[in-house]
């Protein structure tokens, strides 16, 4: 894979891959800032700033209109670890993406009026997605239960609606100026553009942005969980639901991929163990799923389920626990392991066909310190053995590592 990289004098990292099979250029700018960088008293700021960076600058009062006129589109997301912006444009108009991203890295307008407008937008998102939506508060409840020290204990949207409503504009500005700096960013460019041209435009538009030290606060380490934790809530929802979470390795941990394999063994579509045995055969649940949190630090392995009518929480949890114990006690059959490997490989191949997706993978891999990981993930997943799965399951599904939420319908 022909990937080129440079680091500008102000600390911005550039990673590039040319793809002449397309007429598009995909520009992905990853900032190493997310909800984990917030203070306990002021949460939701990183997500609020994601919205505000689309509010425009003096040079570009509207961010979307110039891109749409040039035949492009853009979007962004914020999670606990990162804020990621991505633009796709026809190659003849690709320089516009470099110009606009550089401009909002240092010239975004954060006046009171714009902050208040987006504050209302985010507050409405909070209400619709987490307060007024059935099961919408699950992530908040589970994070609070599972994490006691680490800032993963709050969701990207924030801990409380009042945090978004009341955060001073000065705090938002300070957060922006401390974190949206060249040394805290990775620019990944994929598409029909040479490295020479990419480097020229990167230096032209980003090179004069002053170097500023990104002041990162110390992220507390989450203590090892030694006792099972439970919580019970009642809500106006259609069905009882059972949620379980287990602490697992972060992205660079040795058991990250074994845990990912375990999630696919348990919930690889309708053929996963949990759906096949507990939904189809035993009819204990109407739906069940398992997945991992793709986080920089130690995250969570999640199991979501909706109970069938008449099934008690005790019976439901015992059935899930039995499936987890099988992974701790017996090696996964070779055929089953091969099935999930093949599915993962297929998903990776199809995902890489999208230049925008691959630009994001390049940016993440560069941030984590190994750009080759962007195209080696399938090999790393395939390297997981049955013994790795059994070992990882033994630690993952310790009784003391479980946080369980009983979500009862009123």
């Amino acid at each position: 894979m022909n990937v080129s990289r440079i680091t500008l004098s102000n600390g911005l990292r550039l990673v590039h891959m040319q793809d002449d099979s397309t007429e598009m250029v995909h520009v992905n700018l990853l900032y190493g800032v997310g909800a984990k960088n917030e203070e306990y008293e002021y949460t939701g700021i990183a997500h609020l700033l994601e919205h505000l960076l689309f509010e425009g600058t003096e040079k570009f009062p509207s961010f979307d209109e110039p891109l749409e006129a040039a035949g492009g589109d853009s979007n962004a997301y914020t999670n606990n670890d990162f804020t990621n912006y991505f633009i796709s444009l026809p190659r003849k108009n690709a320089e516009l993406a470099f110009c606009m991203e550089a401009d909002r890295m240092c010239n975004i307008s954060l006046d009171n009026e714009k902050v208040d407008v987006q504050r209302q937008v985010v507050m409405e998102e909070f209400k619709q997605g987490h307060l007024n939506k059935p099961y919408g508060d699950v992530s908040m409840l589970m994070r609070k239960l599972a994490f006691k020290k680490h800032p993963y204990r709050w969701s990207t949207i924030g801990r409380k609606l009042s945090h978004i409503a009341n955060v001073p504009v000065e705090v938002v500005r300070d957060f922006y100026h401390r974190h949206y700096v060249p040394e805290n960013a990775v620019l990944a460019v994929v598409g029909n553009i040479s490295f020479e041209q990419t480097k020229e435009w990167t230096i032209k538009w980003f090179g004069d942005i002053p170097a500023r030290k990104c002041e990162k606060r110390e992220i507390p380490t989450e203590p090892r969980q030694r006792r099972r934790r439970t919580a019970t809530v009642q809500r106006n929802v259609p069905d009882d639901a059972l949620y379980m979470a287990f602490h697992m390795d972060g992205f660079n941990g040795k058991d990250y991929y074994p845990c990912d394999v375990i999630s696919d063994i348990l919930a690889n579509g309708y053929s996963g163990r949990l759906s096949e045995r507990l939904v189809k055969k035993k009819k204990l649940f109407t739906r069940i799923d398992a997945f991992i949190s793709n986080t920089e630090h130690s995250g969570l392995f999640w199991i979501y389920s909706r109970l069938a009518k008449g099934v008690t929480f005790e019976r439901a949890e015992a059935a899930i626990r039995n499936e987890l114990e099988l992974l701790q006690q017996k090696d996964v059959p070779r055929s089953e392991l091969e099935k999930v490997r093949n599915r993962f490989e297929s998903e990776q191949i199809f995902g890489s066909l999208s230049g925008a997706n691959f630009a994001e993978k390049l940016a993440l891999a560069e941030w984590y310190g190994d750009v080759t990981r962007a195209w080696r993930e399938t090999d790393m997943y395939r390297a997981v053995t049955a013994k790795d799965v059994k070992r990882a399951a033994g630690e993952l599904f310790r009784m003391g590592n479980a946080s369980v939420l009983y979500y009862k319908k009123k």
Side-chain angles (χ1 to χ4, degrees), residues 120-394:
Q120 294 302 316
V121 172
V122 174
M123 287 171 64
E124 189 61 28
E125 184 179 334
F126 193 113
K127 294 173 186 175
Q128 293 298 320
H130 300 275
L131 299 183
N132 302 330
K133 180 182 177 182
Y135 311 102
D137 59 349
V138 167
S139 178
M140 293 179 174
L141 293 169
M142 285 298 289
R143 287 174 179 274
K144 185 177 178 181
L145 184 63
F147 291 104
K148 301 305 176 185
K149 295 290 186 182
H150 197 284
Y152 287 166
R153 65 187 184 274
W154 58 81
S155 299
T156 306
I157 197 72
R159 281 201 309 122
K160 299 177 180 179
L161 188 63
S162 61
H163 283 193
I164 302 166
N166 300 324
V167 60
V169 175
E170 293 75 20
V171 173
V172 178
R173 290 174 184 152
D174 178 67
F175 194 87
Y176 169 72
H177 288 299
R178 283 191 294 116
H179 295 286
Y180 283 75
V181 300
E183 79 160 27
N184 198 38
V186 173
L187 181 67
V189 180
V190 172
N192 198 333
I193 182 173
S194 69
F195 179 59
E196 290 72 23
Q197 181 66 83
T198 301
K199 183 168 64 173
E200 178 186 330
W201 284 345
T202 301
I203 294 172
K204 175 182 177 181
W205 293 109
F206 289 90
D208 290 336
I209 298 176
R212 297 201 312 273
K213 194 70 177 175
C214 180
E215 298 178 12
K216 297 181 181 178
R217 71 184 184 91
E218 191 71 24
I219 304 295
T221 300
E222 183 66 23
R224 177 180 169 86
Q225 184 176 328
R226 300 184 182 278
R227 292 185 179 181
R228 179 175 174 270
R229 299 170 185 161
T230 64
T232 303
V233 296
Q234 282 192 319
R235 297 287 189 268
N236 185 21
V237 293
D239 299 299
D240 288 337
L242 175 64
Y243 301 95
M244 305 175 76
F246 306 86
H247 292 276
M248 60 165 283
D249 277 352
F251 193 66
N252 280 329
K254 71 171 184 177
D255 279 343
Y256 175 83
Y257 284 104
C259 287
D260 199 4
V261 171
I262 290 171
S263 73
D264 284 346
I265 291 169
L266 291 175
N268 190 359
Y270 288 110
S271 64
R273 288 187 180 188
L274 296 179
S275 289
E276 184 69 29
R277 299 173 183 179
L278 305 185
V279 177
K280 294 180 185 177
K281 292 183 179 179
K282 296 185 179 180
K283 303 188 185 306
L284 298 175
F285 302 90
T286 57
R287 59 178 296 188
I288 193 166
D289 196 8
F291 54 90
I292 65 170
S293 61
N294 183 0
T295 49
E296 184 171 15
H297 302 166
S298 176
L300 294 176
F301 184 107
W302 298 79
I303 297 179
Y304 276 34
S305 64
R306 303 276 177 86
L307 277 61
K309 302 294 183 185
V311 176
T312 65
F313 282 104
E314 292 76 15
R315 187 182 177 197
E317 185 178 353
I320 293 175
R321 176 56 70 179
N322 182 62
E323 294 298 329
L324 305 184
E325 288 174 354
L326 287 175
L327 286 170
Q328 294 173 295
Q329 297 164 0
K330 296 183 179 180
D331 286 347
V332 177
R334 182 182 300 177
S335 59
E336 189 175 13
L337 197 54
E338 189 62 24
K339 181 183 72 172
V340 298
R341 286 169 174 166
N342 290 340
R343 177 163 176 157
F344 182 87
E345 183 171 4
S346 175
E347 290 172 350
Q348 293 300 305
I349 290 172
F350 282 112
S352 296
L353 294 177
S354 164
N357 287 350
F358 196 73
E360 179 186 355
K361 287 173 70 93
L362 272 182
L364 283 166
E366 173 65 23
W367 178 267
Y368 283 124
D370 181 7
V371 73
T372 70
R373 192 164 173 171
W375 59 88
R376 289 194 303 110
E377 272 208 303
T378 298
D379 294 336
M380 298 171 80
Y381 191 96
R382 280 197 165 275
V384 175
T385 66
K387 293 190 181 302
D388 292 330
V389 169
K390 188 176 179 181
R391 184 201 69 248

